Amino acid sequence: PVDKPVISNELRICLVLRGWIDYQVNMKPVRLEAGMLFVSLPGDIIVVKQCGEDCDAQFIVSVGTDFSGIFNRWSVMRADTSLQQRVLTYFQLMGQVMQNRQFDIKTLHLLTSALCTDIQSDPSSVPVEDPANAHTRQAILFERFIELLNEHGDRNIGFYAEKMGISPNRLSTNIKQYSGQTILQWINQHVMLQARTQLIYTDRPVV
């Protein structure tokens, strides 16, 4: 569903074959285009913002296996034609296994593990970064701030400044210049995202 936050409780791998998809992953906007692979891990909060009319994508979901030794965070990468074909072959094999009513879940885990290793080790699977600002100091500060925000959810700017070894004023200036939004705006967005997620996944009122 579009614009509905989903807490990923499993490994997800998506291959875009045609068109594009705009995601928000742990509050960071991501555009997937044809030939791109998207890998998310348990605990990631994913929001599909928009899809192109001609979008064609395939994905698999794997529950009950720890892939943190292969992927330590969600990632987006480009894949050449050869890797795309191998990914689709894995997807087809998994589908065939699941069509058997007596399939062994271990077989799916082995196929998923082999797929993850294949993706990670293939030289064509180049991580997609912000081409203009991927390695600037402001980009690094912003990435670290978002990681801390997702991890702790603290509403105090000073908390993040202390964690990052920078003054609150300097941190605020860098985040505003890089992202176009203030730290408080990012914190408020995080609070709203968590509240929406809680409303979807629990019956308890948000307090």
Side-chain angles (χ1 to χ4, degrees), residues 30-105:
V30 176
R31 167 159 287 202
L32 302 181
E33 297 175 344
M36 287 186 180
L37 281 164
F38 170 55
V39 179
S40 67
L41 301 177
D44 288 333
I45 299 179
I46 304 167
V47 184
V48 179
K49 305 300 289 185
Q50 194 174 7
C51 296
E53 292 183 0
D54 64 339
C55 179
D56 182 13
Q58 295 194 23
F59 67 93
I60 58 110
V61 173
S62 181
V63 181
T65 303
D66 182 10
F67 295 98
S68 59
I70 303 174
F71 296 104
N72 55 20
R73 67 185 295 270
W74 67 269
S75 53
V76 177
M77 59 205 80
R78 297 189 186 278
D80 65 11
T81 303
S82 175
L83 179 56
Q84 291 178 48
Q85 289 299 322
R86 296 202 306 276
V87 170
L88 291 175
T89 299
Y90 278 109
F91 284 6
Q92 291 168 1
L93 284 172
M94 292 174 188
Q96 291 170 5
V97 170
M98 287 187 291
Q99 286 177 3
N100 185 338
R101 293 183 180 180
Q102 298 180 339
F103 76 87
D104 185 355
I105 191 66

Side-chain angles (χ1 to χ4, degrees), residues 5 25 32 43 49 53 88 111 127 130-131 136 164 167-168 190 197:
V25 186
L32 302 181
K49 305 300 289 185
E53 292 183 0
L88 291 175
L111 283 171
D130 182 340
T136 67
M164 298 167 69
S167 72
H190 179 267
T197 304

Side-chain angles (χ1 to χ4, degrees), residues 177-197:
Q177 289 178 348
Y178 178 78
S179 70
Q181 294 191 134
T182 66
I183 286 184
L184 286 177
Q185 286 175 313
W186 281 109
I187 292 174
N188 288 337
Q189 285 185 33
H190 179 267
V191 170
M192 288 189 291
L193 179 60
Q194 292 293 327
R196 289 175 59 202
T197 304

Side-chain angles (χ1 to χ4, degrees), residues 72-184:
N72 55 20
R73 67 185 295 270
W74 67 269
S75 53
V76 177
M77 59 205 80
R78 297 189 186 278
D80 65 11
T81 303
S82 175
L83 179 56
Q84 291 178 48
Q85 289 299 322
R86 296 202 306 276
V87 170
L88 291 175
T89 299
Y90 278 109
F91 284 6
Q92 291 168 1
L93 284 172
M94 292 174 188
Q96 291 170 5
V97 170
M98 287 187 291
Q99 286 177 3
N100 185 338
R101 293 183 180 180
Q102 298 180 339
F103 76 87
D104 185 355
I105 191 66
K106 292 181 180 179
T107 302
L108 283 180
H109 289 167
L110 288 172
L111 283 171
T112 307
S113 180
L115 170 58
C116 290
T117 302
D118 197 349
I119 292 172
Q120 187 74 314
S121 62
D122 191 285
S124 79
S125 60
V126 180
V128 176
E129 299 176 330
D130 182 340
N133 301 300
H135 301 292
T136 67
R137 176 169 173 75
Q138 286 185 339
I140 294 171
L141 286 173
F142 178 73
E143 290 280 350
R144 180 59 178 151
F145 164 68
I146 292 296
E147 287 177 2
L148 289 170
L149 179 58
N150 286 318
E151 182 179 353
H152 299 283
D154 199 285
R155 303 186 188 188
N156 186 347
I157 296 175
F159 170 84
Y160 300 102
E162 181 178 353
K163 287 281 186 182
M164 298 167 69
I166 189 174
S167 72
N169 286 341
R170 189 174 178 187
L171 178 60
S172 298
T173 298
N174 278 278
I175 296 299
K176 172 66 174 178
Q177 289 178 348
Y178 178 78
S179 70
Q181 294 191 134
T182 66
I183 286 184
L184 286 177

